[in-house]
Amino acid sequence: MTDLTSLETDLLAKVADAADEAALDGVRVAALGKKGAVSELLKTLGTMSPEARKEQGPLINGLRDRVQGAIQSRRETLAEAALTARLAAERIDVTLPVREGPETRGRIHPITQVMDEITAIFGDMGFSIAEGPDVETDELNFTALNFPEGHPAREMHDTFFLRPDRDGKRKLLRTHTSPVQVRTMRSVQPPIRVICPGRTYRHDSDQTHTPMFHQVEGLVIDRQANISHLKWILEEFCKAFFEVDSVKMRFRPSFFPFTEPSAEVDIQCSRKGGEIRFGEGDDWLEILGCGMVHPNVLRNCGLDPDTVQGFAWGMGIDRIAMLKYGMPDLRPFFEADVRWLEHYGFRPLDIPSLVGGLTG
Ligand code: DAH
């Protein structure tokens, strides 16, 4: 009797202690398996006198039922705990943001960004955009712009020439955006206010020069356009573009065949600690060439220099992009390395505008 009670206590404790399915099965085999403790007791029933069996039978069977029941309920508890643990481990947080789409992962190239910024600024001043082809005639790239045949200024342009046409004329890759001035003056009547952004080509390659680069040309023609207008426009542009309240500019006399007088423009900057900042300091940085359109150019475009006049300027887009965004080397602009773009690129939906901010 005491034996049965202590066996039951022992078995139920083992069942309760079984930490997993395998341990529980071990307890089951030890109690109810062929040679298990309870099974052995059941076997003794056959050898007992009917009276003893009548008394022991319900006790031993009761023990078996309770142990079986305990094992069953322990199994359910373990299964439930295992399921809970698995659900916790495999839990997915559906509130996490989904993977970003191309409109947020993609990047706008700094050149495109800067062209959009330039367009926004000059668009606000009432300029329109003019474009011309990359493959130009010698006449438009040089002659009409008052570069006489054999003039040394032609040599300075390191021109890429194409093979001569059937008529012996060589086309070229435009060395500057200035031919678009000629195309514009020949096709629209003054007043003219245009900017001409685009690709330009010269045989040159180092840290700050690549064979293909970008320029933006500006042209204003009307009856009275003069240098003071030019200075105001360039100053407004630099303030807006470099996002500073004031800039000092310095106009240095220079020479271009298509302008008279001609100037190169420097803007004030500081270079403390190798970092260039605009609107402060006492260093100067050259950013563009400009001047009053030469009367010969006006005449070459069918305009009368006695009734109209104007000014023009030309600026390297890559150069001002490097200055504004602190990029030391021009060559990676054209290497299409996604890591570089990830770092220096701009978000596609942050479209530059004067009201919304140029750089988002
Ligand atoms: N075309 C010149 C260049 O590439 C830049 C330039 C200078 C353009 C003066 C102009 C200008 O329109 O007036 O070096």
Side-chain angles (χ1 to χ4, degrees), residues 157 175-178 181 202 215 217-218 256 258-259 263 289-291 312-315:
H157 276 219
T175 57
H176 50 180
T177 41
S178 304
Q181 285 188 29
R202 290 188 200 181
Q215 284 190 343
E217 192 82 8
F256 301 104
F258 37 91
T259 43
C290 62
W313 69 92
M315 191 160 53

Side-chain angles (χ1 to χ4, degrees), residues 2 39 56 60 65 73 75 94 104 127-128 142 144 183-184 201 208 219 236 239 241-242 248 252 267 308 337 341:
T2 344
S39 309
Q56 289 295 306
I60 300 176
D65 291 348
S73 89
R75 178 168 291 134
V94 290
T104 43
F127 281 73
S128 13
F142 291 124
R183 289 177 173 274
T184 308
Y201 305 82
T208 53
L219 176 71
E236 287 304 302
K239 281 196 288 188
F241 181 74
F242 292 110
K248 275 201 211 126
R252 270 184 296 107
I267 63 168
V308 291
D337 184 331
L341 255 185

Side-chain angles (χ1 to χ4, degrees), residues 45-291:
L45 286 176
T47 63
M48 288 180 193
S49 63
E51 292 76 27
R53 192 182 307 138
K54 207 171 174 186
E55 188 198 297
Q56 289 295 306
L59 293 178
I60 300 176
N61 279 319
L63 165 65
R64 184 202 52 201
D65 291 348
R66 283 189 297 282
V67 170
Q68 235 165 20
I71 289 175
Q72 181 57 26
S73 89
R74 180 72 187 148
R75 178 168 291 134
E76 281 163 16
T77 310
L78 285 176
E80 210 165 295
L83 182 64
T84 311
R86 193 171 145 203
L87 286 177
E90 292 178 5
R91 186 186 147 104
I92 298 170
D93 184 352
V94 290
T95 65
L96 280 176
V98 288
R99 192 154 145 231
E100 291 183 320
E103 75 287 2
T104 43
R105 273 185 299 147
R107 287 291 177 272
I108 297 294
H109 195 283
I111 293 290
T112 311
Q113 167 77 16
V114 166
M115 282 200 186
D116 289 348
E117 291 178 24
I118 293 172
T119 310
I121 297 168
F122 285 110
D124 190 63
M125 292 190 214
F127 281 73
S128 13
I129 307 253
E131 286 182 309
D134 292 10
V135 175
E136 258 311 356
T137 60
D138 188 281
E139 201 265 326
L140 284 155
N141 195 79
F142 291 124
T143 317
L145 286 164
N146 200 32
F147 286 78
E149 303 274 349
H151 192 283
R154 287 184 176 228
E155 308 307 315
M156 287 165 62
H157 276 219
D158 299 314
T159 313
F160 287 112
F161 288 99
L162 277 72
R163 277 201 209 98
D165 296 346
R166 237 171 282 158
D167 57 9
K169 288 201 171 129
R170 283 191 306 176
K171 287 222 172 67
L172 47 80
L173 293 178
R174 65 179 179 192
T175 57
H176 50 180
T177 41
S178 304
V180 188
Q181 285 188 29
V182 180
R183 289 177 173 274
T184 308
M185 286 187 272
R186 285 181 179 174
S187 60
V188 295
Q189 284 303 308
I192 294 172
R193 248 184 280 165
V194 289
I195 55 162
C196 328
R199 294 192 175 122
T200 46
Y201 305 82
R202 290 188 200 181
H203 199 288
D204 209 350
S205 183
D206 61 33
Q207 192 173 336
T208 53
H209 295 89
T210 48
M212 189 275 285
F213 57 107
H214 300 81
Q215 284 190 343
V216 58
E217 192 82 8
L219 176 71
V220 173
I221 303 283
D222 62 24
R223 287 175 182 278
Q224 313 179 5
N226 61 54
I227 291 256
S228 66
H229 302 140
L230 169 66
K231 285 184 81 167
W232 182 84
I233 287 173
L234 294 178
E235 227 171 83
E236 287 304 302
F237 168 75
C238 287
K239 281 196 288 188
F241 181 74
F242 292 110
E243 301 180 57
V244 290
D245 293 333
S246 71
V247 280
K248 275 201 211 126
M249 304 181 85
R250 187 168 77 173
F251 285 65
R252 270 184 296 107
S254 183
F255 172 79
F256 301 104
F258 37 91
T259 43
E260 181 57 37
S262 305
E264 275 174 316
V265 177
D266 302 334
I267 63 168
Q268 168 207 34
C269 67
S270 82
R271 299 181 202 236
K272 271 185 225 126
E275 193 193 349
I276 299 184
R277 282 170 179 278
F278 298 98
E280 57 183 68
D282 43 20
D283 255 330
W284 296 96
L285 206 113
E286 184 194 320
I287 58 159
L288 59 92
C290 62

